[in-house]
Amino acid sequence: MSQKTPAPPPADAHLEAMLARALGKPASADATDAPEAPRPEVAESDKRCGYVAIVGKPNVGKSTLLNALVGQKVSITSRKAQTTRHRITGIRTEGASQFIFVDTPGFQTRHGNALNRSLNKTVLGAVTDVDLILFVVEAGRFNLADAKVLSLLPPSVPVILLANKLDEVHRRGELAPWLRSMQERHPFAEFVPMSAKAPKDIQRLFGICEKYLPQQPWIHDAEELTDRSERFMAAEMVREKLFRLTGDELPYTSTVVIDRFEEEGQLRRIAATIVVEREGHKGMVIGDKGEKLKRIGTEARMELEKLWGGKVFLELWVKVRSGWADDDARVRSFGYE
């Protein structure tokens, strides 16, 4: 006598269960307080490995989240929107599972220049060939820019709604109706309200994402943190300091090109050019008596020495390339896809 398959719970009951999981405290909340144990040997048959795309509108906290997930800075951050311009891959191996996180630029809707077309192409390319998508929004908020990104997500890939900056929500009771409204917009696999700055939330996220990774051998070594080259990281670190120290005065279209990268034992010699679009922008970057450019170089050098554990000699120049961000050939020549 065949058994009948039990009927799925009503949609409301399913939603309530998701809300309970999302807003409840993880049972292992204190696990991250324990000292890190040596990495145990993992049988090949137990290994999981997969790609997880991190998507969202500009300046929603994607790069901060990636760095927290990897445990080291691999993606630059800034209060300035549109800081991330490339597909940045961060790698984290936890237990039997290897997570390959892909940080993407925020989808651009305001300007249709060559640079933004390249950034949007990067976003679309990242979400079509992954095992899981983390759709990052600010907890309790959803606007047209969020909706534009959500409309791009393929229906074939499970999507986790990651409500970031939970620490900024003062009335948690308001989250439940907001989460219900979000589920009406898209059939999210999970809700994860969290703060990327909270280690316990990050550890909890690994446990949630793990079951979406396919069972297969790891692609990278267990200790690897990124697949990006040191040359690439040098350019990104200079660009971060450029944006952080010039604030909103300097247009986001400024970029950094590495002219020379040489290694002499533990010493790295780097020459880089900061490219701006106008002569006036050049003055902003150089500053009074060259002080601003000197500070950009000093802070970038210190960050790179911390990252690589060796001495760095960094030379910076500033050049004007008018209209480069609207020139497809030049955008490609500066390393954009």
Side-chain angles (χ1 to χ4, degrees), residues 245 285-286 289-300 316:
L245 293 172
V285 175
I286 294 174
K289 298 179 181 177
E291 284 302 311
K292 182 66 66 69
L293 184 62
K294 182 179 178 182
R295 189 176 168 196
I296 291 169
T298 298
E299 293 197 10
L316 292 181

PDB file of all heavy atoms in Angstrom, residues 245 285-286 289-300 316:
ATOM      1  N   LEU A 245      39.590  59.990   0.551  1.00  0.00           N
ATOM      2  CA  LEU A 245      40.244  61.248   0.928  1.00  0.00           C
ATOM      3  C   LEU A 245      39.795  62.442   0.098  1.00  0.00           C
ATOM      4  O   LEU A 245      40.087  63.574   0.451  1.00  0.00           O
ATOM      5  CB  LEU A 245      41.768  61.078   0.835  1.00  0.00           C
ATOM      6  CG  LEU A 245      42.353  60.091   1.870  1.00  0.00           C
ATOM      7  CD1 LEU A 245      43.821  59.836   1.601  1.00  0.00           C
ATOM      8  CD2 LEU A 245      42.150  60.617   3.289  1.00  0.00           C
ATOM      9  N   VAL A 285      43.107  66.051  -6.509  1.00  0.00           N
ATOM     10  CA  VAL A 285      43.829  64.842  -6.110  1.00  0.00           C
ATOM     11  C   VAL A 285      45.209  65.187  -5.556  1.00  0.00           C
ATOM     12  O   VAL A 285      45.656  64.613  -4.555  1.00  0.00           O
ATOM     13  CB  VAL A 285      43.970  63.865  -7.302  1.00  0.00           C
ATOM     14  CG1 VAL A 285      44.828  62.659  -6.926  1.00  0.00           C
ATOM     15  CG2 VAL A 285      42.591  63.411  -7.770  1.00  0.00           C
ATOM     16  N   ILE A 286      45.895  66.129  -6.195  1.00  0.00           N
ATOM     17  CA  ILE A 286      47.249  66.493  -5.758  1.00  0.00           C
ATOM     18  C   ILE A 286      47.209  67.272  -4.445  1.00  0.00           C
ATOM     19  O   ILE A 286      48.008  67.021  -3.538  1.00  0.00           O
ATOM     20  CB  ILE A 286      47.966  67.294  -6.855  1.00  0.00           C
ATOM     21  CG1 ILE A 286      48.183  66.390  -8.074  1.00  0.00           C
ATOM     22  CG2 ILE A 286      49.297  67.848  -6.339  1.00  0.00           C
ATOM     23  CD1 ILE A 286      48.751  67.104  -9.281  1.00  0.00           C
ATOM     24  N   LYS A 289      50.371  71.792  -2.260  1.00  0.00           N
ATOM     25  CA  LYS A 289      51.771  71.363  -2.178  1.00  0.00           C
ATOM     26  C   LYS A 289      51.926  69.840  -2.233  1.00  0.00           C
ATOM     27  O   LYS A 289      52.865  69.276  -1.683  1.00  0.00           O
ATOM     28  CB  LYS A 289      52.420  71.914  -0.896  1.00  0.00           C
ATOM     29  CG  LYS A 289      52.454  73.439  -0.841  1.00  0.00           C
ATOM     30  CD  LYS A 289      53.070  73.926   0.449  1.00  0.00           C
ATOM     31  CE  LYS A 289      53.077  75.449   0.515  1.00  0.00           C
ATOM     32  NZ  LYS A 289      53.604  75.961   1.807  1.00  0.00           N
ATOM     33  N   GLY A 290      50.962  69.189  -2.893  1.00  0.00           N
ATOM     34  CA  GLY A 290      51.040  67.745  -3.081  1.00  0.00           C
ATOM     35  C   GLY A 290      50.652  66.919  -1.872  1.00  0.00           C
ATOM     36  O   GLY A 290      50.831  65.682  -1.854  1.00  0.00           O
ATOM     37  N   GLU A 291      50.091  67.584  -0.841  1.00  0.00           N
ATOM     38  CA  GLU A 291      49.801  66.878   0.423  1.00  0.00           C
ATOM     39  C   GLU A 291      48.736  65.792   0.259  1.00  0.00           C
ATOM     40  O   GLU A 291      48.828  64.723   0.867  1.00  0.00           O
ATOM     41  CB  GLU A 291      49.375  67.877   1.506  1.00  0.00           C
ATOM     42  CG  GLU A 291      50.529  68.681   2.091  1.00  0.00           C
ATOM     43  CD  GLU A 291      51.602  67.787   2.693  1.00  0.00           C
ATOM     44  OE1 GLU A 291      51.261  66.875   3.476  1.00  0.00           O
ATOM     45  OE2 GLU A 291      52.784  67.983   2.362  1.00  0.00           O
ATOM     46  N   LYS A 292      47.695  66.056  -0.553  1.00  0.00           N
ATOM     47  CA  LYS A 292      46.612  65.070  -0.701  1.00  0.00           C
ATOM     48  C   LYS A 292      47.121  63.805  -1.400  1.00  0.00           C
ATOM     49  O   LYS A 292      46.842  62.686  -0.961  1.00  0.00           O
ATOM     50  CB  LYS A 292      45.456  65.710  -1.499  1.00  0.00           C
ATOM     51  CG  LYS A 292      44.236  64.794  -1.686  1.00  0.00           C
ATOM     52  CD  LYS A 292      43.525  64.486  -0.387  1.00  0.00           C
ATOM     53  CE  LYS A 292      42.888  65.700   0.243  1.00  0.00           C
ATOM     54  NZ  LYS A 292      41.755  66.253  -0.467  1.00  0.00           N
ATOM     55  N   LEU A 293      47.897  64.000  -2.468  1.00  0.00           N
ATOM     56  CA  LEU A 293      48.442  62.844  -3.193  1.00  0.00           C
ATOM     57  C   LEU A 293      49.392  62.048  -2.296  1.00  0.00           C
ATOM     58  O   LEU A 293      49.384  60.809  -2.319  1.00  0.00           O
ATOM     59  CB  LEU A 293      49.171  63.312  -4.455  1.00  0.00           C
ATOM     60  CG  LEU A 293      49.701  62.206  -5.366  1.00  0.00           C
ATOM     61  CD1 LEU A 293      48.569  61.349  -5.898  1.00  0.00           C
ATOM     62  CD2 LEU A 293      50.500  62.818  -6.516  1.00  0.00           C
ATOM     63  N   LYS A 294      50.185  62.758  -1.496  1.00  0.00           N
ATOM     64  CA  LYS A 294      51.114  62.090  -0.591  1.00  0.00           C
ATOM     65  C   LYS A 294      50.350  61.239   0.424  1.00  0.00           C
ATOM     66  O   LYS A 294      50.728  60.089   0.713  1.00  0.00           O
ATOM     67  CB  LYS A 294      51.968  63.131   0.135  1.00  0.00           C
ATOM     68  CG  LYS A 294      53.003  62.523   1.071  1.00  0.00           C
ATOM     69  CD  LYS A 294      53.832  63.623   1.752  1.00  0.00           C
ATOM     70  CE  LYS A 294      54.843  63.010   2.720  1.00  0.00           C
ATOM     71  NZ  LYS A 294      55.623  64.078   3.414  1.00  0.00           N
ATOM     72  N   ARG A 295      49.235  61.777   0.941  1.00  0.00           N
ATOM     73  CA  ARG A 295      48.451  61.031   1.931  1.00  0.00           C
ATOM     74  C   ARG A 295      47.779  59.816   1.305  1.00  0.00           C
ATOM     75  O   ARG A 295      47.725  58.749   1.920  1.00  0.00           O
ATOM     76  CB  ARG A 295      47.407  61.951   2.558  1.00  0.00           C
ATOM     77  CG  ARG A 295      46.713  61.317   3.738  1.00  0.00           C
ATOM     78  CD  ARG A 295      45.761  62.255   4.426  1.00  0.00           C
ATOM     79  NE  ARG A 295      44.920  61.535   5.371  1.00  0.00           N
ATOM     80  CZ  ARG A 295      43.805  62.027   5.878  1.00  0.00           C
ATOM     81  NH1 ARG A 295      43.394  63.248   5.542  1.00  0.00           N
ATOM     82  NH2 ARG A 295      43.085  61.303   6.725  1.00  0.00           N
ATOM     83  N   ILE A 296      47.277  59.976   0.072  1.00  0.00           N
ATOM     84  CA  ILE A 296      46.681  58.832  -0.634  1.00  0.00           C
ATOM     85  C   ILE A 296      47.707  57.714  -0.763  1.00  0.00           C
ATOM     86  O   ILE A 296      47.434  56.549  -0.479  1.00  0.00           O
ATOM     87  CB  ILE A 296      46.173  59.258  -2.037  1.00  0.00           C
ATOM     88  CG1 ILE A 296      44.963  60.188  -1.903  1.00  0.00           C
ATOM     89  CG2 ILE A 296      45.814  58.036  -2.895  1.00  0.00           C
ATOM     90  CD1 ILE A 296      44.557  60.873  -3.204  1.00  0.00           C
ATOM     91  N   GLY A 297      48.925  58.088  -1.180  1.00  0.00           N
ATOM     92  CA  GLY A 297      49.987  57.104  -1.356  1.00  0.00           C
ATOM     93  C   GLY A 297      50.399  56.438  -0.051  1.00  0.00           C
ATOM     94  O   GLY A 297      50.594  55.219   0.013  1.00  0.00           O
ATOM     95  N   THR A 298      50.513  57.243   1.006  1.00  0.00           N
ATOM     96  CA  THR A 298      50.932  56.706   2.304  1.00  0.00           C
ATOM     97  C   THR A 298      49.910  55.708   2.844  1.00  0.00           C
ATOM     98  O   THR A 298      50.258  54.610   3.293  1.00  0.00           O
ATOM     99  CB  THR A 298      51.127  57.844   3.324  1.00  0.00           C
ATOM    100  OG1 THR A 298      52.159  58.715   2.854  1.00  0.00           O
ATOM    101  CG2 THR A 298      51.509  57.295   4.691  1.00  0.00           C
ATOM    102  N   GLU A 299      48.612  56.073   2.800  1.00  0.00           N
ATOM    103  CA  GLU A 299      47.578  55.191   3.343  1.00  0.00           C
ATOM    104  C   GLU A 299      47.433  53.921   2.506  1.00  0.00           C
ATOM    105  O   GLU A 299      47.222  52.831   3.053  1.00  0.00           O
ATOM    106  CB  GLU A 299      46.248  55.944   3.448  1.00  0.00           C
ATOM    107  CG  GLU A 299      46.287  57.054   4.481  1.00  0.00           C
ATOM    108  CD  GLU A 299      44.905  57.526   4.899  1.00  0.00           C
ATOM    109  OE1 GLU A 299      43.900  56.871   4.538  1.00  0.00           O
ATOM    110  OE2 GLU A 299      44.829  58.563   5.594  1.00  0.00           O
ATOM    111  N   ALA A 300      47.558  54.045   1.181  1.00  0.00           N
ATOM    112  CA  ALA A 300      47.489  52.860   0.318  1.00  0.00           C
ATOM    113  C   ALA A 300      48.683  51.942   0.583  1.00  0.00           C
ATOM    114  O   ALA A 300      48.528  50.716   0.666  1.00  0.00           O
ATOM    115  CB  ALA A 300      47.449  53.276  -1.150  1.00  0.00           C
ATOM    116  N   LEU A 316      53.050  57.496  -7.145  1.00  0.00           N
ATOM    117  CA  LEU A 316      51.767  57.850  -7.745  1.00  0.00           C
ATOM    118  C   LEU A 316      51.907  59.071  -8.648  1.00  0.00           C
ATOM    119  O   LEU A 316      52.628  60.021  -8.330  1.00  0.00           O
ATOM    120  CB  LEU A 316      50.725  58.160  -6.660  1.00  0.00           C
ATOM    121  CG  LEU A 316      50.253  57.001  -5.771  1.00  0.00           C
ATOM    122  CD1 LEU A 316      49.204  57.498  -4.784  1.00  0.00           C
ATOM    123  CD2 LEU A 316      49.713  55.857  -6.608  1.00  0.00           C
TER     124      LEU A 316
END
